[in-house]
Amino acid sequence: MRNLADQCRSCIYLGMYCAWVIYLGKHVVHKKTRRCLTAIGCLMVFWFFVRTVKFHIFHDPLGEHICWYLYYIPMILIPILGLAAAMFLGEKEEEKTVRKVIILLTVAAILIVSVLTNDLHQLVFRFSKQPPFSDKDYSYGIVFMVIQGWILICLTGMEIILIRKSRIPGKKQFWLPVIPGILLLGWNIGNILRLPFIKIIAGDMTAVCCLLMAAIFQGCILCGLIQTNNRYFELFQTSGGLDAEITDHSF
């Protein structure tokens, strides 16, 4: 019954993020920002798929070990794609932005390769026992701290860029994406320090990270930092007799 309940929970999460990807594809106005956010949603689906495979299909240490390393592909790419989405938003010189994004993705690729080849150098995770290594007994290396710092810089830079580019008068609701960002930072610090209550109330890394990261981006949408087309119906109503509608996928 416990395995069945956990599989149902995974299916709910997968369905929720698939629906979020569809929502982003239909409602985010800016084309390149929409692509970045859609890719983020797809990475969250991939992350939950790998988590499900790790706990319900692979029961040998090597398979679980590989899935654990695969977690870090979405974990590293999601903040960078979020930063790229903010950089593309309203950018006039897109060629320079594309070059900057390529540099960011190159750094991400180096960090991902470092994680996937960790068994050769153990600069990300260090193990005291012999292979096959397990995620139940390890310590952190210098590259792990670099990855955490990189994620923090990308998420902070994303929110700063969005706030600077915002055209909303007053700018009173910017706390919406900030709160889940602070919660994610607090959870990450508690997880690194291996605080017992973190394991009890929020021990599922995939669920916590995906939920809080999705909350950051959805908060940006709700407070208008990322523009969507979901209030056009109200615009047409208040305009009084304006006979217009959205006709294509470019809105």
Side-chain angles (χ1 to χ4, degrees), residues 7 25 27 50 75 84 114 132 134 139 149 171 181 186 201 217-218 222-223 229 232 245 249-250:
Q7 289 179 23
H27 291 292
V50 172
M75 188 183 294
S114 299
S134 171
S139 59
K171 301 181 179 181
I201 65 175
F217 297 116
Q218 193 63 31
L222 290 175
C223 69
N229 69 340
Y232 282 157
E245 64 180 7
H249 291 293
S250 296

Side-chain angles (χ1 to χ4, degrees), residues 234-249:
E234 297 174 31
L235 173 65
F236 295 152
Q237 278 188 325
T238 56
S239 62
L242 179 61
D243 189 12
E245 64 180 7
I246 305 300
T247 59
D248 60 24
H249 291 293

Side-chain angles (χ1 to χ4, degrees), residues 125-154:
F125 303 106
R126 298 170 181 168
F127 303 98
S128 57
K129 298 180 180 179
Q130 297 298 317
F133 301 123
S134 171
D135 59 352
K136 296 178 177 61
D137 180 26
Y138 66 93
S139 59
Y140 299 110
I142 184 66
V143 178
F144 177 84
M145 299 305 173
V146 172
I147 292 172
Q148 298 303 311
W150 180 255
I151 292 171
L152 178 62
I153 290 170
C154 288

